[in-house]
Amino acid sequence: ETGVTQSPTHLIKTRGQQVTLRCSSQSGHNTVSWYQQALGQGPQFIFQYYREEENGRGNFPPRFSGLQFPNYSSELNVNALELDDSALYLCASSTSGGITDTQYFGPGTRLTVL
Amino acid sequence: AQSVTQLDSQVPVFEEAPVELRCNYSSSVSVYLFWYVQYPNQGLQLLLKYLSGSTLVESINGFEAEFNKSQTSFHLRKPSVHISDTAEYFCAVREMDSSYKLIFGSGTRLLVRP
């Protein structure tokens, strides 16, 4: 069974650019959540996708957007990058997004904005 | 507002000594509770969780946590730590009226010394 994978591992962008991060969910999982983990802090919830629909969003501006595809893989897009967007971006998948489901995390993508 | 507090940013301890990592939460509704561990350059791994039933939950590698509703705490303990336990530990809650997001604390770095 393949776990959650993310690509790329590391990414360097400049302020104002746009970035796309990718996540492949664990086999059998149809729900994907994205989190931002700034240096020295805990992860902050960005949004969740269930069966290709966004069904929950944290306190992040609209320039953070996402997609989920029919195979339940997902993308996180960030427009107009700011220096504060530098962080580790974590993707987590679960079987149904239910309240008692365990979220399984990928290794993350380290984004640096210069 | 809901929040999770991990007061200790770093806990140094000698190998084979006991350890307690503290976690307190604030919420207006009932919650589910989780501990995740993050090894260097890796994503988060679920260590243990409390959903219902016995307030004492255990992991397969010797950690345990006890849910104390009156004190709104979910402290993590291990009677004897190993060098390999060195990692960042995150406490998280999920509110029972919100199926989608985990709210994380800022993390505690456990540093086990020989």
Side-chain angles (χ1 to χ4, degrees), chain A residues 35 37 99 101-103, chain B residues 36 38 49 94 96 100 102:
Chain A
Y35 292 81
Q37 186 180 11
I99 199 163
D101 280 0
T102 295
Q103 293 190 359
Chain B
Y36 279 85
Q38 187 175 36
K49 62 183 178 182
R94 176 184 277 160
M96 289 189 184
Y100 48 83
L102 288 169

Side-chain angles (χ1 to χ4, degrees), chain A residues 33 35 37 40-45 48 55-58 88 90 97-108, chain B residues 32 34 36 38 41-46 49 51 88 90 94-107:
Chain A
S33 302
Y35 292 81
Q37 186 180 11
Q41 297 183 25
Q44 299 287 319
F45 175 77
Q48 178 175 281
N55 73 338
R57 189 177 183 92
L88 180 69
L90 296 165
I99 199 163
T100 59
D101 280 0
T102 295
Q103 293 190 359
Y104 295 86
F105 284 81
Chain B
Y32 297 117
F34 305 80
Y36 279 85
Q38 187 175 36
N41 300 315
Q42 294 187 28
L44 302 173
Q45 299 174 28
L46 180 68
K49 62 183 178 182
L51 301 180
E88 190 88 20
F90 291 94
R94 176 184 277 160
E95 296 185 319
M96 289 189 184
D97 64 351
S98 161
S99 66
Y100 48 83
K101 67 176 179 180
L102 288 169
I103 303 164
F104 286 87
S106 56

Side-chain angles (χ1 to χ4, degrees), chain A residues 61-75:
Chain A
R63 60 189 185 84
F64 285 79
S65 63
L67 281 173
Q68 188 179 32
F69 301 99
N71 66 354
Y72 303 129
S73 65
S74 177
E75 287 183 355

Side-chain angles (χ1 to χ4, degrees), chain B residues 4 8 18-19 24 29 31 38 41 48 52 59-60 65 73 76 81 88-89 93 109 111:
Chain B
V4 178
D8 304 307
V19 70
N24 289 88
V29 302
V31 298
Q38 187 175 36
N41 300 315
L48 46 75
S52 64
S59 73
I60 58 173
S73 68
L76 182 69
V81 295
E88 190 88 20
Y89 291 80
V93 303
R109 176 160 176 72
L111 181 58

Side-chain angles (χ1 to χ4, degrees), chain B residues 2 48 54 71:
Chain B
Q2 61 274 20
L48 46 75
S54 172
Q71 297 185 7

